[in-house]
Amino acid sequence: MEKNEFKQRSMLAETWKRLKKNKGAMIGLVIVTVLFLLAIFAGVIYDYDTDVIGQNYNELLQGPSGKHWFGTDEMGRDLLARIIYGSRASLFISFAAVALAAVIGCFFGAISGYFGGKVDSVIMRMTDILLAIPETLFAITLVAALGTSTFTLIIALAISNIPIYCRLLRGSVLTQRGSEHVEAARAIGAKTSTIIVHHILPNCIAPVLVQFTLSIAVTILTISGLSFLGLGVAAPKPEWGALLSSSRSYMREHTYLTIFPGLAIMITILSLNLLGDGLRDALDPRLR
Amino acid sequence: MLKYIAKRLLAMIPVILGVTLIVYLIMSLAPGDPARTILGELATEEQVNELREEMGLNDPIIVQYFRYIWNLLHGDLGRSYQSRIDVSTEIFSRFPNTIKLALAASLFSVILALPLGIIAAVKQNTFFDSFSMFVAIIGISCPTFWFGLILILVFAVNLKWFPVSGQVDNFRGMVLPALTLAFNSMAAMARVTRSSMLEVIRQDYIRTARAKGVSQRNVILQHAVPNAMIPTVTVIGLRIGGLLAGAVICETVFSWPGIGRLLVQSIQSRNTPVVLGCIIIFSICFSLVNLIVDILYAFIDPRIKSQYQ
């Protein structure tokens, strides 16, 4: 075995050191952080009732100006305010859904990988079935049956993300299961749950973290697509896809209404993808 | 090879049954009584009950599901609530349009992605490489419908090169919808093609080919590309779900008369049998195309083929 003569650093510090060297990932991280702060402190900058959903008939459809940086929409509402508040919907729903999916998926994946046999085949057949329904289509089905609500969206998106994590964790657990440290833990009589939680899971975090970042990006795209179809977040609540959908009637004369919300989505997804790619390289240097 | 195809076909049956069951169960959660919806508010309780009995709505849900599947196998998907037309007629009159759009989009993305990815890898770290990878990451990050709207703004409204809404029967009317749908999968494919090409051109057999004096062109096209295609084909398979979901959105943007638009319209008018039919047809298509991709995969990769000979 290779002898480590250097000062032992934690995996986190090591990853961070490598991540810092990746320009794209750092730009992504900065933008994502700023977006988060904007979403959290949106209430400090704008007042929801007056700026975001309050209508102002003196300032209908004005182009970008010093007062309204991104212009105003057909009801005189400031577009920048609506985009910033819109990030709340996208970020909250996608985080809730993906986090739920990651927890449930990892749970079943760990069980499937650790115990194998019949349990494994049953869980894997279930994931096959879920994987056979595209995410957007599954969300559309649930929304068509239960109506549009934040809760339905979260559940639908969570369910369609479960199989990815299930497979991911099953794979990692399978490679960990036979390793020496797990055997040692079993030999000293550790409980199965302790082995899984303390000895196997910590070694599976890296791929889950990368997948988490990338899933958030895909999920935000799905949410905006659903809202664009009128099946996601309902008006007058601002959401990026819904903003784009309502801009269609004014697209010819008021181009900015179409351009800015789309740019907001694209920059968010771009940053998350850059960050995810960077994380993958930093966590697994062999892939470079 | 036949054995492999047969095995894959058999494995697909439980998946399709599972998918349709899930979709059927979810759709049965929809509030409202179908019999009441058809007859309207003025119908008496007896009339509603009579129709419920006639439609088999009083049977257990699992019986209803198997009856649905049985009818599906005979090409019957029930009737639309509003127009009372057969759902299958409604769906299959629009089906070719969706297929046309999806095929055109797949063609566009392959034609654009392969050269982009291959040249980027061959000319690694040049301007062309960074440029094409920039285009690719934009493509992955860009929402389908926004890209469609921007294309409409630039090429239809301002330059007037193409019509604003899609037209099924002429090439010019198909360009913008197909490009919109293709952009995302094109980007993903270009990225994977580049990275797998990069891996392949460092292999020993490529060095051998160069050493024996094969021209650069032949090294790339005959020795490297076929080997680099395996991951690319996988991505094509993975992207098909995205393509179908994208079709729903793309058809709405361009008013394209396909199943995707029918689905959205039926949801808005609460036409459950049509919604159910559309989603089930979509899911079956998705499974079938995945099967085709898997078979294609075995065809390209001799290692899989040899297992079944």
Side-chain angles (χ1 to χ4, degrees):
Chain A
M1 261 186 76
E2 201 182 331
K3 217 173 172 184
N4 194 353
E5 290 172 8
F6 304 102
K7 195 181 143 213
Q8 194 81 41
R9 276 199 219 89
S10 72
M11 190 187 90
L12 213 66
E14 198 61 45
T15 308
W16 174 241
K17 211 183 121 205
R18 281 196 291 264
L19 191 66
K20 268 200 298 195
K21 285 188 195 142
N22 186 334
K23 247 187 247 162
M26 287 322 282
I27 296 174
L29 182 65
V30 170
I31 297 177
V32 170
T33 315
V34 169
L35 274 171
F36 259 94
L37 292 177
L38 274 178
I40 294 169
F41 294 109
V44 180
I45 319 171
Y46 294 103
D47 182 58
Y48 186 74
D49 290 321
T50 54
D51 295 324
V52 182
I53 54 168
Q55 304 173 357
N56 179 0
Y57 289 100
N58 299 323
E59 295 180 323
L60 300 183
L61 291 167
Q62 291 188 348
S65 63
K67 192 177 170 205
H68 300 289
W69 290 0
F70 286 5
T72 60
D73 70 1
E74 71 279 9
M75 290 180 185
R77 299 172 293 201
D78 185 83
L79 188 60
L80 180 59
R82 286 180 67 75
I83 288 179
I84 290 179
Y85 264 89
S87 68
R88 280 190 168 181
S90 302
L91 291 176
F92 171 70
I93 297 174
S94 58
F95 261 86
V98 177
L100 198 64
V103 171
I104 300 175
C106 287
F107 176 76
F108 283 108
I111 290 180
S112 182
Y114 191 82
F115 294 105
K118 276 210 180 103
V119 184
D120 183 34
S121 351
V122 170
I123 294 178
M124 282 302 108
R125 289 299 82 75
M126 295 295 287
T127 59
D128 279 348
I129 290 171
L130 282 180
L131 278 175
I133 315 177
E135 189 179 10
T136 310
L137 216 55
F138 188 77
I140 288 179
T141 314
L142 214 63
V143 168
L146 302 177
T148 51
S149 79
T150 309
F151 181 71
T152 320
L153 264 184
I154 292 177
I155 296 298
L157 296 170
I159 294 178
S160 33
N161 271 301
I162 288 175
I164 304 172
Y165 291 93
C166 203
R167 290 238 171 136
L168 193 67
L169 214 75
R170 177 177 175 269
S172 314
V173 171
L174 274 180
T175 53
Q176 296 277 319
R177 191 173 61 174
S179 65
E180 281 160 2
H181 75 278
V182 173
E183 218 166 284
R186 206 176 293 136
I188 59 169
K191 278 187 298 183
T192 309
S193 57
T194 317
I195 295 178
I196 294 180
V197 173
H198 290 285
H199 299 281
I200 294 183
L201 283 189
N203 291 315
C204 306
I205 294 285
V208 172
L209 199 65
V210 173
Q211 184 58 46
F212 193 86
T213 321
L214 299 176
S215 304
I216 297 273
V218 174
T219 309
I220 291 180
L221 273 183
T222 309
I223 297 170
S224 65
L226 288 170
S227 300
F228 181 76
L229 296 175
L231 303 171
V233 179
K237 224 174 166 185
E239 199 280 339
W240 294 336
L243 289 180
L244 276 170
S245 174
S246 61
S247 81
R248 283 179 75 189
S249 334
Y250 308 93
M251 201 169 80
R252 282 163 195 259
E253 285 80 30
H254 306 279
T255 329
Y256 60 91
L257 282 177
T258 305
I259 291 178
F260 289 123
L263 272 181
I265 304 178
M266 201 179 78
I267 290 171
T268 310
I269 309 299
L270 189 68
S271 327
L272 283 165
N273 279 333
L274 285 172
L275 181 62
D277 283 354
L279 266 180
R280 181 171 49 208
D281 293 343
L283 287 165
D284 192 351
R286 278 170 307 160
L287 288 174
R288 295 219 86 175
Chain B
M1 199 59 197
L2 271 177
K3 207 171 145 194
Y4 176 73
I5 297 175
K7 197 184 151 196
R8 293 287 328 196
L9 264 171
L10 280 179
M12 212 181 74
I13 295 170
V15 172
I16 287 188
L17 279 179
V19 168
T20 46
L21 178 64
I22 291 179
V23 170
Y24 193 87
L25 289 181
I26 293 177
M27 286 310 293
S28 71
L29 292 175
D33 181 353
R36 174 62 77 187
T37 316
I38 293 169
L39 292 173
E41 290 303 316
L42 294 172
T44 61
E45 203 61 37
E46 278 152 34
Q47 286 172 312
V48 172
N49 266 332
E50 207 171 294
L51 189 64
R52 278 186 68 88
E53 197 59 49
E54 193 191 313
M55 291 169 74
L57 290 170
N58 293 330
D59 296 332
I61 182 86
I62 201 78
V63 175
Q64 291 185 40
Y65 165 72
F66 279 107
R67 192 187 301 129
Y68 186 84
I69 292 297
W70 182 250
N71 290 337
L72 173 69
L73 290 173
H74 294 84
D76 177 14
L77 287 164
R79 279 199 199 166
S80 158
Y81 283 169
Q82 273 90 2
S83 58
R84 300 301 285 150
I85 300 175
D86 278 345
V87 173
S88 49
T89 321
E90 208 157 341
I91 288 181
F92 286 106
S93 67
R94 290 163 183 249
F95 195 58
N97 296 337
T98 298
I99 296 289
K100 221 185 230 176
L101 180 63
L103 279 182
S106 318
L107 204 68
F108 267 138
S109 50
V110 172
I111 290 175
L112 293 172
L114 294 189
L116 217 59
I118 293 170
I119 300 176
V122 175
K123 302 201 180 299
Q124 197 193 359
N125 298 330
T126 60
F127 172 74
F128 185 85
D129 182 23
S130 347
F131 174 74
S132 51
M133 283 308 107
F134 179 71
V135 171
I137 199 156
I138 293 286
I140 294 184
S141 312
C142 187
T144 313
F145 50 97
W146 187 58
F147 186 64
L149 291 178
I150 297 291
L151 285 185
I152 291 179
L153 261 180
V154 176
F155 293 105
V157 175
N158 288 329
L159 296 172
K160 298 198 167 53
W161 290 354
F162 301 103
V164 172
S165 62
Q167 287 162 9
V168 189
D169 42 10
N170 71 44
F171 178 73
R172 263 170 33 115
M174 273 176 72
V175 172
L176 293 188
L179 265 183
T180 304
L181 190 54
F183 194 34
N184 194 278
S185 43
M186 184 276 288
M189 244 185 262
R191 268 161 62 108
V192 173
T193 307
R194 174 179 176 271
S195 63
S196 81
M197 271 299 281
L198 280 179
E199 212 162 280
V200 168
I201 48 183
R202 296 199 181 117
Q203 298 289 325
D204 289 341
Y205 56 82
I206 297 296
R207 196 177 304 130
T208 312
R210 286 226 167 88
K212 69 177 190 188
V214 179
S215 69
Q216 166 74 359
R217 192 190 141 87
N218 279 352
V219 167
I220 299 301
L221 290 183
Q222 290 182 355
H223 295 262
V225 170
N227 286 300
M229 278 306 99
I230 295 166
T232 310
V233 171
T234 318
V235 169
I236 298 177
L238 288 173
R239 285 283 147 179
I240 286 161
L243 211 66
L244 284 178
V248 178
I249 292 168
C250 189
E251 286 177 5
T252 307
V253 174
F254 289 95
S255 317
W256 186 269
I259 309 187
R261 186 138 169 273
L262 177 68
L263 172 63
V264 175
Q265 286 168 339
S266 311
I267 292 175
Q268 280 154 358
S269 60
R270 303 203 152 275
N271 201 342
T272 315
V274 182
V275 175
L276 184 60
C278 288
I279 293 175
I280 285 190
I281 294 295
F282 260 131
S283 319
I284 294 177
C285 281
F286 181 53
S287 307
L288 278 176
V289 180
N290 268 333
L291 175 75
I292 295 171
V293 172
D294 269 3
I295 293 171
L296 206 66
Y297 194 63
F299 206 69
I300 294 177
D301 193 343
R303 280 167 296 188
I304 299 179
K305 206 156 80 180
S306 66
Q307 286 173 14
Y308 290 90
Q309 267 166 1

